[in-house]
Amino acid sequence: MTQDYERISRAIDFIRQHVGHQPSLAEIAAHVHLSEYHFQRLFSRWAGITPKRYLQALTLERAKQLLQQPSHSTLSASYELGLSSGSRLYDHFVQLEAVTPFEYRQQGLGINIAYGYHSTPFGLAFIAQTARGICQFDFVDMQQIQSPLERLKQSWSQATIYEDATQTASLIDNLFSQYFAGSSAAALNLTAPNTQAIHQAESAPLSLWVKGTNFQLNVWRALLNLPKGEVASYGDIAKAIGKPKASRAVGTAIGANPVALLIPCHRVLRQSGELGGYRWGETRKHAILAREAAYCE
C-alpha cells in the first residue's frame, strides 16, 4: 500500500506541475514508468475514481471554488448557535475535554503507550495509543522515520512506551474504515487523559487522547467541525473561536496538531484558495483533499 502511494504521490506532483494543460493519462503513466493500463488500474484502486476524475478534483481552482462557497457554514452555524463547547453540532461524534494542569505535569507517568508503523492509503504512518485513545498519529517519510517516535518520547517523557504493531494494526484498520465510510470528522471522541479504558470496535467512535494549550484545543475543536469536502481559511477558524485577529496564532496551533487526518488540519487553506503548508507534506495534503472532494460529490 505504501509503495502504491509513493507512485501516486509522484503522479500527483507531476499533475500539479503540469495542471495548466491537464496532462493526459499517457503522460502521467509514462512519468511513473507504468503502462496506461496498469497506471489506470493502480490509480483507480487507490483513489476509487479514475485519474481523469481525480485530476479535476486536484486542481487549485477546485480548492478556490470550495473556499468561495459558504463551505464553512456548518462551522459558523455551530458557533453562532452557541454550540462552541460541550453541546456542539457534532456532539454525538465528538467530545473534547481539556487536559488538567496536573495531568500535563505528569507527562504520562503511569501510562502505557503502544506504537506501530503501518502502511496506509496516504503512505507510511506512525500511530501511538494509550488505554484512553490515540495520542499521536503522523504520516512518515522514510528519511525521517524516527522523528515521530522521538516526538512521542519527548511529549510523554514519563510514560512506558513500547512497540506493538499487532495492537495498533486493528486501530489503523478501524481508523481508515471509518474515514472512507464518509463519517464526518471521522466520527471520533477527543478527550483529555484519565485512567478509564476504552473499547475499540468497528462500530464505535475512535477516541483521541491529546494535550495542548486552551488556544490549541479551541482551534482543534473548530477543525473537527469541518466535514469532508468542506474547507476553511485560517481567518475563518480565527473567527470561529472568537479571535478574529489571531490568524497567525491559529496557523501555529494547526501546525502543532498531534493527530493527522482525524483532526483535519488539511482542510484549512489560505484565504487566496492556495493550499498553504502542511506538516506532513503538501503533496499529501493535495492527495487527501482531492480524495475527499471526489468522495463527497
Side-chain angles (χ1 to χ4, degrees):
M1 192 183 300
T2 297
Q3 185 179 24
D4 287 351
Y5 176 73
E6 289 172 355
R7 282 179 169 169
I8 296 302
S9 68
R10 292 202 304 273
I12 290 171
D13 279 336
F14 179 80
I15 293 170
R16 288 170 55 197
Q17 292 165 13
H18 300 85
V19 69
H21 76 272
Q22 299 284 289
S24 66
L25 175 65
E27 290 175 304
I28 304 170
H31 181 73
V32 294
H33 308 294
L34 291 174
S35 69
E36 292 180 50
Y37 172 76
H38 284 98
F39 177 68
Q40 176 101 345
R41 288 192 62 187
L42 171 66
F43 202 100
S44 297
R45 183 173 70 245
W46 179 83
I49 54 175
T50 66
K52 181 178 180 180
R53 178 66 191 84
Y54 190 83
L55 173 58
Q56 294 169 352
L58 185 63
T59 61
L60 284 179
E61 196 59 40
R62 169 61 180 161
K64 292 178 182 178
Q65 290 169 3
L66 281 173
L67 197 59
Q68 289 167 1
Q69 295 170 3
S71 58
H72 55 281
S73 58
T74 303
L75 175 67
S76 301
S78 297
Y79 285 83
E80 288 172 9
L81 293 171
L83 303 178
S84 58
S85 59
S87 58
R88 297 191 315 283
L89 198 59
Y90 291 98
D91 199 32
H92 59 296
F93 285 132
V94 184
Q95 182 180 350
L96 175 58
E97 300 174 6
V99 176
T100 67
F102 173 77
E103 290 165 335
Y104 187 89
R105 287 196 301 270
Q106 291 291 95
Q107 295 294 299
L109 183 65
I111 301 299
N112 295 323
I113 303 179
Y115 73 88
Y117 292 87
H118 300 278
S119 177
T120 79
F122 301 112
L124 188 65
F126 173 92
I127 192 164
Q129 178 189 26
T130 72
R132 185 60 182 141
I134 300 167
C135 61
Q136 186 174 321
F137 178 59
D138 294 280
F139 292 111
V140 182
D141 293 323
M142 293 304 296
Q143 62 269 31
Q144 298 177 322
I145 195 166
Q146 289 299 316
S147 296
L149 180 57
E150 291 168 0
R151 285 198 300 273
L152 179 70
K153 291 178 177 179
Q154 182 177 9
S155 182
W156 301 90
S157 59
Q158 299 302 310
T160 299
I161 298 174
Y162 60 96
E163 186 170 12
D164 188 343
T166 301
Q167 177 181 336
T168 55
S170 60
L171 185 61
I172 283 284
D173 289 344
N174 187 20
L175 186 161
F176 278 94
S177 66
Q178 293 209 38
Y179 174 79
F180 289 116
S183 54
S184 177
L188 52 89
N189 286 327
L190 182 55
T191 60
N194 62 46
T195 58
Q196 293 180 346
I198 60 168
H199 302 283
Q200 293 288 357
E202 290 188 3
S203 59
L206 292 167
S207 295
L208 307 188
W209 193 53
V210 300
K211 55 184 178 181
T213 66
N214 288 337
F215 185 86
Q216 288 172 332
L217 292 166
N218 286 336
V219 169
W220 299 340
R221 286 190 188 103
L223 295 179
L224 288 169
N225 278 335
L226 286 174
K228 286 181 189 173
E230 297 190 7
V231 294
S233 69
Y234 295 99
D236 292 330
I237 302 298
K239 291 174 184 176
I241 64 172
K243 304 287 185 181
K245 297 182 179 180
S247 295
R248 182 169 295 183
V250 163
T252 300
I254 288 173
N257 173 20
V259 182
L261 199 66
L262 298 180
I263 299 177
C265 57
H266 59 274
R267 295 179 191 150
V268 182
L269 313 181
R270 293 174 180 165
Q271 191 63 50
S272 64
E274 295 176 332
L275 293 197
Y278 186 55
R279 65 180 292 186
W280 294 288
E282 191 172 322
T283 296
R284 187 171 279 112
K285 184 173 183 175
H286 271 272
I288 296 171
L289 278 174
R291 189 156 180 174
E292 288 184 353
Y295 268 75
C296 290
E297 288 190 351

